Amino acid sequence: AKAFLDMIIKYDWSNLALIYDQDPKNIELASEFKKLYDPLTRFIKDELVVDADDKTLSERLTHRLESTTKDSGARVILVFSEPKVGA
């Protein structure tokens, strides 16, 4: 989480989205990131929690990513997940 925050500050990124699965470690990482990023949470435009075992995840995630970038204006998407979700 701290490494992501350092990159966001270094490159002056805004319009962020967070995607994470229901694994307790990933929920904790996303939570820690939001705590570290608290003064700038207005830049988090969208947040999505996914079920890594969902058989239709790939299709739903593709659709959601399209709407996230189009509707919310998010340009940087941080993913805290198992490799099968991140891929």
Coordinates of all heavy atoms in Angstrom, one line a residue:
A1 N 0.8 -1.2 0.0 CA 0.0 0.0 0.0 C 0.9 1.3 0.0 O 0.6 2.2 -0.7 CB -0.9 0.0 1.2
K2 N 1.9 1.2 0.8 CA 2.8 2.4 0.9 C 3.5 2.6 -0.5 O 3.7 3.8 -0.9 CB 3.9 2.2 2.0 CG 4.9 3.3 2.1 CD 4.4 4.5 2.8 CE 5.4 5.5 3.2 NZ 5.9 6.3 2.1
A3 N 3.9 1.5 -1.1 CA 4.6 1.7 -2.4 C 3.6 2.3 -3.5 O 4.1 3.2 -4.2 CB 5.0 0.3 -3.0
F4 N 2.4 1.9 -3.5 CA 1.4 2.6 -4.4 C 1.3 4.1 -4.0 O 1.3 4.9 -4.9 CB 0.0 1.9 -4.2 CG -0.2 0.7 -5.0 CD1 -0.9 -0.4 -4.4 CD2 0.3 0.5 -6.3 CE1 -1.1 -1.6 -5.1 CE2 0.1 -0.6 -7.0 CZ -0.6 -1.7 -6.4
L5 N 1.2 4.4 -2.8 CA 1.1 5.8 -2.4 C 2.3 6.6 -2.8 O 2.1 7.7 -3.3 CB 0.9 5.9 -0.8 CG 0.7 7.3 -0.3 CD1 -0.6 7.9 -0.8 CD2 0.7 7.3 1.2
D6 N 3.5 6.0 -2.6 CA 4.7 6.7 -3.1 C 4.6 7.0 -4.6 O 5.0 8.1 -5.0 CB 5.9 5.9 -2.7 CG 6.2 5.9 -1.2 OD1 5.6 6.7 -0.5 OD2 7.0 5.0 -0.8
M7 N 4.2 6.1 -5.4 CA 4.1 6.3 -6.8 C 3.1 7.3 -7.2 O 3.3 8.2 -8.1 CB 3.7 4.9 -7.5 CG 4.9 4.0 -7.6 SD 4.5 2.4 -8.3 CE 3.7 2.8 -9.8
I8 N 1.9 7.3 -6.5 CA 0.9 8.3 -6.7 C 1.4 9.7 -6.5 O 1.1 10.6 -7.3 CB -0.4 7.9 -5.9 CG1 -1.0 6.7 -6.4 CG2 -1.4 9.1 -5.8 CD1 -2.0 6.1 -5.5
I9 N 2.1 9.8 -5.4 CA 2.6 11.2 -5.0 C 3.7 11.6 -6.0 O 3.7 12.7 -6.5 CB 3.1 11.2 -3.6 CG1 1.9 11.1 -2.6 CG2 3.9 12.4 -3.3 CD1 2.3 10.8 -1.2
K10 N 4.6 10.6 -6.3 CA 5.7 11.0 -7.2 C 5.2 11.4 -8.6 O 5.7 12.3 -9.2 CB 6.7 9.7 -7.4 CG 7.8 10.0 -8.4 CD 8.7 8.8 -8.5 CE 9.7 8.9 -9.6 NZ 10.9 9.6 -9.2
Y11 N 4.2 10.7 -9.1 CA 3.8 11.0 -10.5 C 2.5 11.9 -10.5 O 2.0 12.1 -11.6 CB 3.5 9.6 -11.2 CG 4.7 8.8 -11.4 CD1 5.0 7.7 -10.7 CD2 5.7 9.3 -12.3 CE1 6.1 6.9 -10.9 CE2 6.9 8.6 -12.5 CZ 7.1 7.4 -11.8 OH 8.2 6.7 -12.0
D12 N 2.1 12.3 -9.3 CA 1.0 13.2 -9.2 C -0.3 12.7 -9.9 O -1.0 13.4 -10.6 CB 1.3 14.6 -9.8 CG 0.4 15.7 -9.4 OD1 -0.2 15.6 -8.3 OD2 0.2 16.6 -10.2
W13 N -0.6 11.4 -9.6 CA -1.7 10.7 -10.1 C -3.0 11.2 -9.4 O -3.0 11.4 -8.2 CB -1.6 9.2 -10.1 CG -0.6 8.6 -11.0 CD1 0.0 9.2 -12.1 CD2 0.0 7.3 -10.8 NE1 0.9 8.3 -12.6 CE2 0.9 7.2 -11.9 CE3 -0.2 6.3 -9.9 CZ2 1.6 6.0 -12.1 CZ3 0.6 5.1 -10.1 CH2 1.4 5.0 -11.2
S14 N -4.1 11.3 -10.1 CA -5.4 11.5 -9.5 C -6.4 10.6 -10.3 O -6.0 9.9 -11.2 CB -5.8 13.0 -9.5 OG -5.8 13.4 -10.9
N15 N -7.6 10.7 -9.9 CA -8.7 9.9 -10.6 C -8.4 8.4 -10.5 O -8.1 7.8 -11.5 CB -8.9 10.3 -12.1 CG -9.4 11.8 -12.2 OD1 -9.9 12.3 -11.2 ND2 -9.2 12.3 -13.3
L16 N -8.4 7.9 -9.3 CA -8.0 6.5 -9.0 C -9.3 5.7 -8.9 O -10.3 6.1 -8.5 CB -7.2 6.5 -7.7 CG -6.0 7.4 -7.6 CD1 -5.5 7.3 -6.2 CD2 -5.0 6.9 -8.6
A17 N -9.1 4.4 -9.1 CA -10.1 3.4 -8.8 C -9.4 2.2 -8.1 O -8.2 2.0 -8.3 CB -10.7 2.8 -10.1
L18 N -10.1 1.6 -7.1 CA -9.5 0.5 -6.4 C -10.3 -0.8 -6.7 O -11.6 -0.7 -6.8 CB -9.6 0.7 -4.9 CG -9.0 1.9 -4.3 CD1 -9.2 1.9 -2.8 CD2 -7.5 1.9 -4.6
I19 N -9.6 -1.9 -7.0 CA -10.3 -3.2 -7.2 C -9.6 -4.2 -6.3 O -8.4 -4.2 -6.3 CB -10.2 -3.7 -8.6 CG1 -10.9 -2.7 -9.6 CG2 -10.7 -5.1 -8.8 CD1 -10.7 -3.0 -11.1
Y20 N -10.4 -4.9 -5.5 CA -9.8 -5.9 -4.6 C -10.8 -7.0 -4.4 O -12.0 -6.9 -4.6 CB -9.3 -5.3 -3.3 CG -10.3 -4.5 -2.6 CD1 -11.1 -5.0 -1.6 CD2 -10.4 -3.1 -2.8 CE1 -11.9 -4.2 -0.8 CE2 -11.3 -2.3 -2.1 CZ -12.0 -2.9 -1.2 OH -12.9 -2.1 -0.5
D21 N -10.2 -8.2 -4.1 CA -11.1 -9.4 -3.9 C -11.4 -9.5 -2.4 O -11.0 -8.7 -1.6 CB -10.5 -10.6 -4.5 CG -9.2 -11.0 -3.9 OD1 -9.0 -10.8 -2.7 OD2 -8.4 -11.6 -4.7
Q22 N -12.1 -10.6 -2.1 CA -12.6 -10.7 -0.7 C -11.6 -11.4 0.2 O -12.0 -11.7 1.4 CB -14.0 -11.5 -0.7 CG -15.0 -10.7 -1.5 CD -16.3 -11.5 -1.7 OE1 -16.2 -12.7 -1.9 NE2 -17.4 -10.9 -1.8
D23 N -10.4 -11.7 -0.2 CA -9.4 -12.2 0.6 C -9.1 -11.2 1.7 O -8.9 -10.0 1.4 CB -8.2 -12.5 -0.2 CG -7.1 -13.1 0.6 OD1 -6.4 -12.4 1.4 OD2 -6.8 -14.4 0.5
P24 N -9.1 -11.7 3.0 CA -8.8 -10.8 4.1 C -7.5 -9.9 3.9 O -7.5 -8.8 4.3 CB -8.8 -11.7 5.3 CG -9.6 -12.9 4.9 CD -9.4 -13.0 3.5
K25 N -6.5 -10.5 3.4 CA -5.2 -9.8 3.2 C -5.5 -8.6 2.2 O -4.9 -7.5 2.4 CB -4.1 -10.7 2.6 CG -3.6 -11.6 3.6 CD -2.3 -12.3 3.1 CE -2.6 -13.0 1.8 NZ -1.6 -13.8 1.2
N26 N -6.2 -8.9 1.2 CA -6.4 -7.8 0.2 C -7.4 -6.7 0.6 O -7.2 -5.6 0.3 CB -6.9 -8.4 -1.1 CG -5.8 -9.3 -1.7 OD1 -4.6 -9.0 -1.6 ND2 -6.2 -10.5 -2.3
I27 N -8.3 -7.1 1.4 CA -9.2 -6.1 2.1 C -8.4 -5.3 3.0 O -8.5 -4.0 3.0 CB -10.4 -6.8 2.8 CG1 -11.3 -7.5 1.8 CG2 -11.1 -5.8 3.7 CD1 -12.4 -8.3 2.4
E28 N -7.5 -5.9 3.8 CA -6.6 -5.1 4.7 C -5.7 -4.2 3.9 O -5.5 -3.0 4.3 CB -5.8 -6.1 5.5 CG -4.9 -5.4 6.5 CD -5.6 -4.5 7.5 OE1 -6.8 -4.8 7.9 OE2 -5.1 -3.4 7.9
L29 N -5.1 -4.7 2.8 CA -4.3 -3.8 1.9 C -5.0 -2.6 1.4 O -4.5 -1.5 1.5 CB -3.7 -4.6 0.8 CG -2.5 -5.5 1.1 CD1 -2.2 -6.4 -0.2 CD2 -1.3 -4.6 1.4
A30 N -6.2 -2.8 0.9 CA -7.0 -1.7 0.4 C -7.4 -0.7 1.5 O -7.3 0.5 1.3 CB -8.3 -2.2 -0.3
S31 N -7.7 -1.3 2.7 CA -8.0 -0.4 3.8 C -6.8 0.4 4.3 O -6.9 1.6 4.5 CB -8.5 -1.3 5.0 OG -8.7 -0.5 6.1
E32 N -5.7 -0.3 4.3 CA -4.4 0.4 4.7 C -4.1 1.5 3.7 O -3.7 2.6 4.0 CB -3.3 -0.6 4.8 CG -2.0 0.0 5.2 CD -2.0 0.6 6.6 OE1 -2.8 0.1 7.5 OE2 -1.2 1.5 6.9
F33 N -4.3 1.2 2.4 CA -4.0 2.2 1.4 C -4.9 3.4 1.6 O -4.5 4.6 1.5 CB -4.3 1.6 0.0 CG -4.2 2.7 -1.1 CD1 -2.9 3.1 -1.5 CD2 -5.3 3.2 -1.6 CE1 -2.9 4.1 -2.5 CE2 -5.2 4.2 -2.6 CZ -4.0 4.7 -3.0
K34 N -6.2 3.2 1.8 CA -7.2 4.3 2.0 C -6.8 5.1 3.3 O -7.0 6.3 3.3 CB -8.6 3.8 2.1 CG -9.1 3.3 0.8 CD -10.6 2.9 0.8 CE -10.8 1.6 1.5 NZ -12.2 1.1 1.4
K35 N -6.3 4.5 4.3 CA -5.9 5.2 5.5 C -4.7 6.1 5.2 O -4.6 7.2 5.6 CB -5.5 4.2 6.6 CG -6.7 3.6 7.4 CD -6.2 2.8 8.5 CE -7.1 1.6 8.7 NZ -6.5 0.6 9.6
L36 N -3.7 5.5 4.5 CA -2.5 6.3 4.1 C -2.9 7.5 3.2 O -2.3 8.5 3.2 CB -1.5 5.4 3.4 CG -0.8 4.4 4.3 CD1 0.0 3.4 3.4 CD2 0.2 5.1 5.3
Y37 N -3.9 7.2 2.3 CA -4.3 8.2 1.3 C -5.4 9.1 1.8 O -5.8 9.9 1.0 CB -4.7 7.3 0.1 CG -4.7 8.1 -1.2 CD1 -3.6 8.5 -1.8 CD2 -5.9 8.3 -1.9 CE1 -3.6 9.2 -3.0 CE2 -6.0 9.0 -3.1 CZ -4.8 9.4 -3.6 OH -4.8 10.1 -4.8
D38 N -5.8 9.0 3.0 CA -6.9 9.7 3.6 C -7.1 11.1 3.2 O -8.2 11.5 2.7 CB -7.0 9.5 5.1 CG -8.3 10.1 5.7 OD1 -9.4 9.7 5.2 OD2 -8.2 11.0 6.5
P39 N -6.1 12.0 3.2 CA -6.3 13.4 2.9 C -6.7 13.6 1.4 O -7.2 14.6 1.0 CB -4.9 14.0 3.1 CG -4.2 13.1 4.0 CD -4.7 11.7 3.7
L40 N -6.4 12.6 0.6 CA -6.6 12.7 -0.8 C -7.7 11.7 -1.3 O -7.8 11.5 -2.5 CB -5.3 12.5 -1.6 CG -4.2 13.3 -1.2 CD1 -2.9 12.9 -1.9 CD2 -4.4 14.8 -1.5
T41 N -8.6 11.2 -0.5 CA -9.5 10.2 -0.9 C -10.5 10.7 -1.9 O -11.2 9.9 -2.6 CB -10.3 9.6 0.3 OG1 -10.9 10.6 1.1 CG2 -9.4 8.7 1.2
R42 N -10.6 12.0 -2.0 CA -11.5 12.6 -3.0 C -11.1 12.2 -4.5 O -11.9 12.2 -5.4 CB -11.6 14.1 -2.9 CG -10.4 14.8 -3.3 CD -10.5 16.3 -3.1 NE -9.3 17.0 -3.4 CZ -8.2 17.2 -2.7 NH1 -8.2 16.6 -1.5 NH2 -7.2 17.9 -3.1
F43 N -9.8 11.7 -4.6 CA -9.3 11.3 -5.9 C -9.7 9.8 -6.2 O -9.5 9.4 -7.3 CB -7.8 11.5 -6.0 CG -7.4 12.9 -6.0 CD1 -6.5 13.4 -5.1 CD2 -7.9 13.8 -6.9 CE1 -6.1 14.7 -5.1 CE2 -7.5 15.1 -6.9 CZ -6.6 15.6 -6.0
I44 N -10.2 9.1 -5.2 CA -10.7 7.7 -5.5 C -12.1 7.8 -6.0 O -13.1 8.1 -5.3 CB -10.7 6.9 -4.2 CG1 -9.2 6.8 -3.7 CG2 -11.2 5.5 -4.5 CD1 -9.1 6.0 -2.3
K45 N -12.2 7.6 -7.3 CA -13.4 7.8 -8.0 C -14.3 6.6 -8.1 O -15.5 6.7 -8.3 CB -13.2 8.2 -9.5 CG -12.3 9.4 -9.6 CD -13.0 10.6 -9.0 CE -12.2 11.9 -9.2 NZ -12.7 13.0 -8.6
D46 N -13.8 5.4 -7.9 CA -14.5 4.2 -7.9 C -13.8 3.1 -7.1 O -12.6 3.1 -6.9 CB -14.7 3.7 -9.3 CG -15.9 2.7 -9.5 OD1 -16.6 2.5 -8.5 OD2 -16.1 2.2 -10.6
E47 N -14.6 2.2 -6.5 CA -14.1 1.1 -5.7 C -14.9 -0.1 -6.0 O -16.2 -0.1 -6.0 CB -14.2 1.5 -4.2 CG -13.5 0.5 -3.3 CD -13.4 1.1 -1.9 OE1 -13.6 2.3 -1.7 OE2 -13.1 0.3 -1.0
L48 N -14.3 -1.3 -6.2 CA -15.0 -2.5 -6.6 C -14.4 -3.7 -5.8 O -13.2 -3.9 -5.8 CB -14.8 -2.7 -8.1 CG -15.4 -4.0 -8.7 CD1 -16.9 -4.1 -8.5 CD2 -15.1 -4.1 -10.1
V49 N -15.2 -4.4 -5.1 CA -14.8 -5.6 -4.4 C -15.4 -6.8 -5.2 O -16.6 -6.8 -5.5 CB -15.4 -5.7 -3.0 CG1 -14.9 -6.9 -2.3 CG2 -15.0 -4.4 -2.2
V50 N -14.5 -7.7 -5.6 CA -14.9 -8.8 -6.5 C -14.8 -10.1 -5.8 O -14.0 -10.3 -4.8 CB -14.1 -8.9 -7.8 CG1 -14.3 -7.6 -8.6 CG2 -12.6 -9.1 -7.5
D51 N -15.5 -11.1 -6.2 CA -15.5 -12.5 -5.8 C -14.5 -13.2 -6.7 O -14.8 -13.5 -7.9 CB -16.8 -13.1 -5.8 CG -16.9 -14.6 -5.3 OD1 -15.8 -15.1 -5.0 OD2 -18.0 -15.1 -5.2
A52 N -13.3 -13.6 -6.2 CA -12.3 -14.3 -7.0 C -12.8 -15.6 -7.6 O -12.3 -16.1 -8.6 CB -11.0 -14.5 -6.2
D53 N -13.8 -16.2 -7.0 CA -14.3 -17.5 -7.4 C -15.5 -17.4 -8.4 O -16.0 -18.4 -8.8 CB -14.7 -18.4 -6.2 CG -13.5 -18.7 -5.4 OD1 -12.4 -19.0 -5.9 OD2 -13.7 -18.7 -4.1
D54 N -15.9 -16.2 -8.7 CA -17.0 -16.0 -9.6 C -16.6 -16.5 -11.0 O -15.7 -16.0 -11.6 CB -17.4 -14.5 -9.6 CG -18.6 -14.2 -10.5 OD1 -19.0 -15.0 -11.3 OD2 -19.0 -13.0 -10.4
K55 N -17.4 -17.4 -11.6 CA -17.1 -17.9 -12.9 C -17.2 -16.9 -14.0 O -16.6 -17.0 -15.1 CB -18.0 -19.1 -13.2 CG -17.8 -20.2 -12.2 CD -16.8 -21.3 -12.6 CE -16.8 -22.5 -11.7 NZ -15.8 -22.5 -10.7
T56 N -18.0 -15.9 -13.8 CA -18.3 -14.8 -14.9 C -17.5 -13.6 -14.6 O -17.7 -12.5 -15.2 CB -19.8 -14.5 -14.9 OG1 -20.2 -13.9 -13.7 CG2 -20.6 -15.7 -15.3
L57 N -16.5 -13.7 -13.7 CA -15.7 -12.5 -13.3 C -15.1 -11.8 -14.4 O -15.1 -10.6 -14.5 CB -14.7 -12.9 -12.2 CG -13.8 -11.7 -11.7 CD1 -14.7 -10.7 -11.0 CD2 -12.8 -12.3 -10.7
S58 N -14.4 -12.5 -15.3 CA -13.7 -11.9 -16.4 C -14.6 -11.0 -17.2 O -14.3 -9.8 -17.5 CB -13.1 -13.0 -17.3 OG -12.4 -12.4 -18.4
E59 N -15.8 -11.5 -17.6 CA -16.7 -10.8 -18.4 C -17.3 -9.5 -17.6 O -17.3 -8.4 -18.1 CB -17.9 -11.6 -18.8 CG -18.9 -11.0 -19.7 CD -20.0 -11.9 -20.0 OE1 -19.8 -13.1 -20.4 OE2 -21.2 -11.5 -20.0
R60 N -17.7 -9.8 -16.4 CA -18.2 -8.7 -15.6 C -17.1 -7.6 -15.3 O -17.4 -6.4 -15.3 CB -18.8 -9.2 -14.3 CG -20.1 -10.0 -14.5 CD -20.8 -10.5 -13.2 NE -19.9 -10.8 -12.1 CZ -19.7 -10.0 -11.0 NH1 -20.2 -8.8 -11.0 NH2 -18.9 -10.4 -10.0
L61 N -15.9 -8.1 -15.0 CA -14.9 -7.2 -14.7 C -14.5 -6.3 -15.9 O -14.3 -5.1 -15.8 CB -13.6 -7.9 -14.2 CG -12.5 -7.1 -13.5 CD1 -13.1 -6.3 -12.4 CD2 -11.5 -8.1 -13.0
T62 N -14.5 -6.9 -17.1 CA -14.2 -6.1 -18.3 C -15.2 -5.0 -18.5 O -14.9 -3.9 -18.8 CB -14.2 -7.1 -19.5 OG1 -13.1 -8.0 -19.4 CG2 -14.0 -6.3 -20.8
H63 N -16.5 -5.4 -18.3 CA -17.6 -4.4 -18.5 C -17.5 -3.3 -17.4 O -17.6 -2.1 -17.7 CB -18.9 -5.1 -18.4 CG -20.1 -4.2 -18.4 ND1 -20.4 -3.4 -19.5 CD2 -21.0 -3.8 -17.4 CE1 -21.5 -2.7 -19.2 NE2 -21.8 -2.9 -17.9
R64 N -17.2 -3.7 -16.2 CA -17.1 -2.8 -15.1 C -15.9 -1.8 -15.3 O -16.0 -0.6 -15.0 CB -16.9 -3.5 -13.8 CG -16.8 -2.6 -12.6 CD -18.1 -1.7 -12.4 NE -17.9 -0.7 -11.4 CZ -18.3 -0.9 -10.1 NH1 -18.9 -2.0 -9.7 NH2 -18.1 0.1 -9.2
L65 N -14.8 -2.4 -15.8 CA -13.6 -1.5 -16.0 C -13.9 -0.5 -17.1 O -13.5 0.7 -17.0 CB -12.4 -2.3 -16.5 CG -11.7 -3.1 -15.3 CD1 -10.7 -4.0 -15.9 CD2 -11.1 -2.2 -14.3
E66 N -14.6 -0.9 -18.1 CA -15.0 0.1 -19.2 C -15.9 1.2 -18.6 O -15.7 2.3 -18.9 CB -15.8 -0.7 -20.3 CG -14.9 -1.6 -21.1 CD -15.7 -2.4 -22.1 OE1 -16.9 -2.4 -22.1 OE2 -15.0 -3.2 -22.9
S67 N -16.9 0.8 -17.8 CA -17.7 1.8 -17.2 C -17.0 2.7 -16.2 O -17.2 3.9 -16.0 CB -19.0 1.2 -16.6 OG -18.7 0.5 -15.5
T68 N -16.1 2.0 -15.4 CA -15.3 2.8 -14.4 C -14.5 3.9 -15.1 O -14.5 5.0 -14.6 CB -14.4 1.8 -13.6 OG1 -15.2 1.0 -12.9 CG2 -13.4 2.6 -12.7
T69 N -13.8 3.6 -16.1 CA -12.9 4.6 -16.8 C -13.8 5.6 -17.5 O -13.4 6.8 -17.5 CB -11.9 4.0 -17.7 OG1 -12.6 3.2 -18.7 CG2 -10.9 3.1 -17.0
K70 N -14.9 5.2 -18.1 CA -15.8 6.1 -18.8 C -16.6 7.0 -17.9 O -16.6 8.2 -18.0 CB -16.7 5.3 -19.7 CG -17.6 6.2 -20.6 CD -18.5 5.3 -21.4 CE -19.8 5.9 -21.6 NZ -20.8 5.0 -22.1
D71 N -17.3 6.4 -16.9 CA -18.3 7.1 -16.1 C -17.7 7.8 -14.9 O -18.1 9.0 -14.6 CB -19.4 6.1 -15.6 CG -20.2 5.5 -16.7 OD1 -20.2 6.1 -17.8 OD2 -20.7 4.4 -16.5
S72 N -16.7 7.2 -14.3 CA -16.1 7.9 -13.1 C -14.9 8.8 -13.4 O -14.5 9.6 -12.7 CB -15.7 6.9 -12.0 OG -14.5 6.2 -12.5
G73 N -14.3 8.5 -14.6 CA -13.1 9.3 -15.0 C -11.9 8.7 -14.4 O -10.8 9.4 -14.5
A74 N -11.9 7.5 -13.7 CA -10.7 7.0 -13.1 C -9.7 6.6 -14.3 O -10.1 6.1 -15.3 CB -11.1 5.7 -12.4
R75 N -8.5 7.0 -14.0 CA -7.4 6.7 -15.0 C -6.4 5.8 -14.5 O -5.6 5.2 -15.3 CB -6.8 8.0 -15.4 CG -7.8 9.0 -16.2 CD -8.2 8.3 -17.5 NE -9.2 9.1 -18.2 CZ -10.5 8.8 -18.3 NH1 -11.0 7.7 -17.8 NH2 -11.3 9.6 -19.0
V76 N -6.2 5.7 -13.2 CA -5.3 4.8 -12.6 C -6.0 3.8 -11.7 O -6.8 4.2 -10.8 CB -4.2 5.5 -11.7 CG1 -3.3 4.6 -11.0 CG2 -3.5 6.5 -12.6
I77 N -5.9 2.5 -12.0 CA -6.6 1.5 -11.3 C -5.7 0.6 -10.5 O -4.8 0.0 -11.0 CB -7.5 0.6 -12.2 CG1 -8.5 1.5 -13.0 CG2 -8.2 -0.5 -11.5 CD1 -9.2 0.8 -14.1
L78 N -5.8 0.6 -9.2 CA -5.0 -0.2 -8.3 C -5.7 -1.5 -8.0 O -6.9 -1.5 -7.6 CB -4.7 0.6 -7.0 CG -4.1 2.0 -7.1 CD1 -4.0 2.6 -5.8 CD2 -2.8 1.9 -7.8
V79 N -5.0 -2.6 -8.1 CA -5.6 -3.9 -7.9 C -4.9 -4.6 -6.8 O -3.7 -4.8 -6.8 CB -5.5 -4.7 -9.2 CG1 -6.1 -6.1 -9.0 CG2 -6.2 -4.0 -10.4
F80 N -5.7 -5.0 -5.8 CA -5.2 -5.8 -4.7 C -6.0 -7.1 -4.8 O -7.1 -7.2 -4.4 CB -5.5 -5.1 -3.3 CG -5.0 -3.7 -3.2 CD1 -5.7 -2.6 -3.5 CD2 -3.7 -3.5 -2.7 CE1 -5.2 -1.3 -3.3 CE2 -3.2 -2.3 -2.5 CZ -4.0 -1.2 -2.8
S81 N -5.3 -8.1 -5.3 CA -6.1 -9.4 -5.5 C -5.2 -10.6 -5.7 O -4.0 -10.4 -5.9 CB -7.0 -9.2 -6.7 OG -6.2 -9.3 -7.9
E82 N -5.9 -11.7 -5.8 CA -5.2 -12.9 -6.2 C -4.7 -12.8 -7.6 O -5.4 -12.1 -8.4 CB -6.1 -14.1 -6.1 CG -6.6 -14.4 -4.7 CD -7.5 -15.6 -4.6 OE1 -7.4 -16.6 -5.4 OE2 -8.4 -15.6 -3.8
P83 N -3.7 -13.5 -8.0 CA -3.2 -13.4 -9.4 C -4.3 -13.6 -10.5 O -4.4 -13.0 -11.5 CB -2.1 -14.4 -9.5 CG -1.6 -14.5 -8.1 CD -2.8 -14.3 -7.3
K84 N -5.2 -14.6 -10.2 CA -6.3 -14.9 -11.2 C -7.2 -13.7 -11.5 O -7.8 -13.5 -12.5 CB -7.0 -16.1 -10.9 CG -7.9 -16.1 -9.7 CD -8.5 -17.4 -9.4 CE -9.3 -17.4 -8.1 NZ -9.9 -18.7 -7.9
V85 N -7.4 -12.8 -10.5 CA -8.2 -11.6 -10.6 C -7.4 -10.6 -11.3 O -7.9 -9.9 -12.2 CB -8.8 -11.1 -9.3 CG1 -9.5 -9.8 -9.5 CG2 -9.7 -12.2 -8.7
G86 N -6.2 -10.4 -10.9 CA -5.3 -9.3 -11.5 C -5.0 -9.6 -12.9 O -4.8 -8.6 -13.7
A87 N -5.0 -10.8 -13.3 CA -4.7 -11.1 -14.7 C -5.9 -10.8 -15.6 O -5.9 -10.5 -16.7 CB -4.3 -12.6 -14.9

